[in-house]
Amino acid sequence: DQFINQSGDTAALSVKVEGDEIPTIHWMRGTREILEGGRFRILTDQTNVVTLLIGKCRHQDDDSYSVQIENSKGKDEGLF
């Protein structure tokens, strides 16, 4: 999927997580993990939707994003 934001807007990338075990979730920008803080927030709601928020978008934020989800049953990845 592709999304377009104006500079200064907030971008939101969301994924629904399902499974019996609580997974480990890693948001990636290119090959680097995104750590929560500053302009980056990671939220999980009551329906197990995990969202990466990128505040005050800049042109430098234009990149490939992915989410890696893993538990003892396996691993999956979503691309944005």
Side-chain angles (χ1 to χ4, degrees), residues 1-51:
D1 291 333
Q2 185 177 18
F3 64 96
I4 298 172
N5 273 43
Q6 296 294 320
S7 191
D9 286 350
T10 297
L13 305 175
S14 297
V15 63
K16 173 86 172 170
V17 178
E18 297 178 347
D20 296 332
E21 294 181 31
I22 297 173
T24 302
I25 299 171
H26 300 279
W27 285 96
M28 308 294 288
R29 177 179 168 194
T31 60
R32 297 184 63 192
E33 184 171 4
I34 297 170
L35 301 178
E36 188 169 17
R39 298 182 308 115
F40 299 94
R41 293 185 58 209
I42 299 170
L43 308 173
T44 303
D45 72 13
Q46 296 173 346
T47 63
N48 293 329
V49 173
V50 180
T51 301

Side-chain angles (χ1 to χ4, degrees), residues 46-59:
Q46 296 173 346
T47 63
N48 293 329
V49 173
V50 180
T51 301
L52 170 66
L53 295 175
I54 306 169
K56 298 180 183 174
C57 287
R58 305 174 185 160
H59 293 290

